[in-house]
Amino acid sequence: MSDDVLGRWVPDRPQDVAAVFAEADFPWWIAGGYAIELAVGRELRAHGDLDVLVLRRDQALVHGLLADWDLYVADPPGQGELRPWRPAEVLRPPLHDIWCRRTPKAPWSVQLMLDEAEGTQWVSRRDPSIRLPIDQLGRTTETGIPYLAPEVQLFYKAKATRDKDETDFEAVLPLLDTPARAWLADAINVIAPNHPWLRRLLPVNRT
């Protein structure tokens, strides 16, 4: 979606988001490229936006937390169109992408992503057979910022890999232990069985 059409982005930093979400009584995680950087502990590249993953079932709590913000949902997803996310509106699949800015005149600063859950299980919106216990979905920095586990973030990046995703993969791969590599290989094999990353993960692939 073009800045020329939908407005410019000046992404928040993870610590800015952590301050906004400090009073949240629901789980949330920094996602996207920033999640990879939090995992490796250093900056890797410039970022056009900042993603935050929340569970769809917590969307009313999210809307309440950001009640003073200007919130728009991508509807339909990926088509370059936004509309206001109205108070009390329940967003149902396939809607999952919400753009957030502090005021109508401010730049966009946070992109919320809604994901699915069943009980204590996170369920991938791309394939419901791909799951994890919610308490294994993320990690936390030494300063208390939650971020998406790198193997989960790489799974989302595997669908349409770009140069920046290759950069993220190379940076974080050495940090993935055997269970994380095995989970990632199995998950990618479901959605993209010919993906080149599988050759790097194949020694621990259980499929």
Side-chain angles (χ1 to χ4, degrees):
M1 298 188 203
S2 169
D3 285 3
D4 294 338
V5 176
L6 301 176
R8 67 189 181 97
W9 271 89
V10 179
D12 277 1
R13 302 169 300 170
Q15 55 266 42
D16 299 327
V17 173
V20 172
F21 281 73
E23 302 302 319
D25 55 355
F26 54 86
W28 62 275
W29 303 268
I30 298 290
Y34 276 109
I36 300 297
E37 290 188 348
L38 292 175
V40 302
R42 68 181 190 276
E43 293 184 5
L44 297 173
R45 54 181 175 79
H47 298 273
D49 59 9
L50 182 144
D51 299 332
V52 175
L53 183 75
V54 296
L55 300 178
R56 185 178 300 277
R57 66 190 183 191
D58 294 325
Q59 62 179 282
L61 299 174
V62 178
H63 205 301
L65 182 71
L66 302 178
D68 294 334
W69 285 51
D70 198 37
L71 307 176
Y72 278 70
V73 59
D75 185 8
Q79 299 301 309
E81 298 179 14
L82 298 174
R83 64 167 178 80
W85 184 19
R86 300 180 296 274
E89 179 186 6
V90 177
L91 300 179
R92 304 190 185 282
L95 302 181
H96 66 273
D97 183 3
I98 303 157
W99 289 31
C100 313
R101 56 190 176 188
R102 285 170 171 79
T103 70
K105 294 184 178 180
W108 302 108
S109 55
V110 175
Q111 188 168 10
L112 287 175
M113 310 301 291
L114 301 182
D115 230 338
E116 313 307 320
E118 293 180 8
T120 61
Q121 293 279 313
W122 163 81
V123 181
S124 169
R125 66 176 178 269
R126 292 189 177 161
D127 190 301
S129 70
I130 300 171
R131 299 171 176 241
L132 267 180
I134 292 171
D135 62 7
Q136 296 179 24
L137 189 59
R139 310 282 187 268
T140 305
T141 68
E142 292 181 355
T143 57
I145 301 175
Y147 62 94
L148 204 59
E151 62 269 25
V152 179
Q153 186 56 65
L154 288 175
F155 161 70
Y156 275 118
K157 287 175 169 288
K159 181 180 180 182
T161 308
R162 303 152 294 183
D163 288 345
K164 64 181 181 180
D165 302 319
E166 295 290 349
T167 296
D168 292 347
F169 178 79
E170 292 292 338
V172 83
L173 180 62
L175 303 181
L176 298 184
D177 61 17
T178 297
R181 289 183 180 218
W183 182 91
L184 177 58
D186 289 346
I188 291 177
N189 195 55
V190 171
I191 64 165
N194 296 316
H195 199 287
W197 288 355
L198 288 173
R199 293 194 296 271
R200 306 283 298 277
L201 299 165
L202 198 56
V204 293
N205 188 359
R206 297 190 303 271
T207 60

